[in-house]
Amino acid sequence: GDSVTQMEGPVTLSEEAFLTINCTYTATGYPSLFWYVQYPGEGLQLLLKATKADDKGSNKGFEATYRKETTSFHLEKGSVQVSDSAVYFCALLTGNQFYFGTGTSLTVIP
Amino acid sequence: GAGVSQSPSNKVTEKGKDVELRCDPISGHTALYWYRQSLGQGLEFLIYFQGNSAPDKSGLPSDRFSAERTGGSVSTLTIQRTQQEDSAVYLCASSLVGGAFTGELFFGEGSRLTVL
């Protein structure tokens, strides 16, 4: 079945460090791919998305490129901030069904 | 507010009791999802409602779990005879479906259930 596998955490980085959170997927069709973020004490919210191969989603300095050949959608940010501390979830959508990864906790220290 | 509202935010109950969790989606959103988030686990799909169609109940873990959505708006997730393994955060999300569907889910803050 369709599924998402993402890098396990927790991840701790110093401010201004480079971030990569790996995400790979398995899908029978042509899914859309998403990154959702959950800040402390808040609900999940959409960070970025890509709907077809080679699309790049970007928001708040984060980027992810839909790579069909490697079935990946890795999240990257060139310089993290303390305010980026959160749990990040990779997800795919096929039809009306979403599949979420287990989440990666990121802590950025000053 | 204009977001997805869930209640209660916290619920502590004794094993064997029934609980009801409520979700009030964003007005106009025809799709509504329930997920369960256990410690160290991802979001586990429970049930999906879309308009007046029959719900997709394929994720409900046992017959102790049920959900309904009245008038295409508010939804209630009911867990009967709660067990300790039911302890989790129950998340509700809504979205637009159809021509306006962007794939974006709008989540509530969740209902944390603790079964003693």
Side-chain angles (χ1 to χ4, degrees):
Chain A
D2 294 354
S3 66
V4 171
T5 303
Q6 67 179 98
M7 175 176 138
E8 291 195 16
V11 174
T12 302
L13 294 173
S14 296
E15 205 165 22
E16 299 183 2
F18 184 84
L19 169 72
T20 299
I21 301 177
N22 290 336
C23 172
T24 57
Y25 68 90
T26 301
T28 52
Y30 300 93
S32 295
L33 300 173
F34 304 82
W35 279 98
Y36 278 79
V37 59
Q38 186 175 30
Y39 297 105
E42 299 183 16
L44 276 81
Q45 57 188 271
L46 179 66
L47 179 60
L48 54 84
K49 68 177 183 181
T51 57
K52 61 183 187 297
D54 299 325
D55 270 2
K56 177 185 285 187
S58 61
N59 186 24
K60 298 182 179 180
F62 290 88
E63 291 184 341
T65 301
Y66 189 148
R67 302 281 188 204
K68 191 168 185 290
E69 63 276 14
T70 54
T71 62
S72 65
F73 193 56
H74 305 321
L75 182 68
E76 296 183 336
K77 185 173 186 180
S79 176
V80 294
Q81 304 301 310
V82 172
S83 57
D84 294 327
S85 297
V87 181
Y88 293 82
F89 293 88
C90 186
L92 71 83
L93 170 65
T94 56
N96 292 319
Q97 189 58 270
F98 286 85
Y99 298 88
F100 286 86
T102 54
T104 302
S105 175
L106 170 67
T107 301
V108 180
I109 55 177
Chain B
V4 176
S5 177
Q6 291 188 247
S7 61
S9 54
N10 274 289
K11 176 71 176 179
V12 180
T13 191
E14 293 179 348
K15 178 181 172 181
K17 300 284 190 183
D18 297 351
V19 296
E20 285 190 351
L21 307 176
R22 175 189 167 104
C23 173
D24 200 341
I26 293 173
S27 177
H29 281 193
T30 57
L32 187 148
Y33 298 78
W34 282 99
Y35 290 90
R36 179 167 68 176
Q37 184 179 21
S38 304
L39 190 63
Q41 304 294 315
L43 275 65
E44 176 188 4
F45 166 74
L46 297 177
I47 189 168
Y48 164 62
F49 295 91
Q50 168 47 36
N52 295 321
S53 302
D56 176 354
K57 303 180 181 180
S58 60
L60 294 178
S62 76
D63 59 7
R64 296 186 295 105
F65 287 73
S66 63
E68 62 177 21
R69 188 178 185 191
T70 53
S73 182
V74 172
S75 177
T76 302
L77 176 69
T78 301
I79 308 172
Q80 295 179 310
R81 305 181 301 282
T82 52
Q83 303 295 313
Q84 288 183 333
E85 61 262 29
D86 299 334
S87 297
V89 177
Y90 290 82
L91 296 173
C92 176
S94 69
S95 75
L96 290 169
V97 181
F101 186 47
T102 63
E104 180 170 2
L105 289 178
F106 294 82
F107 283 85
E109 293 187 16
S111 292
R112 181 178 297 277
L113 174 65
T114 303
V115 182
L116 302 177

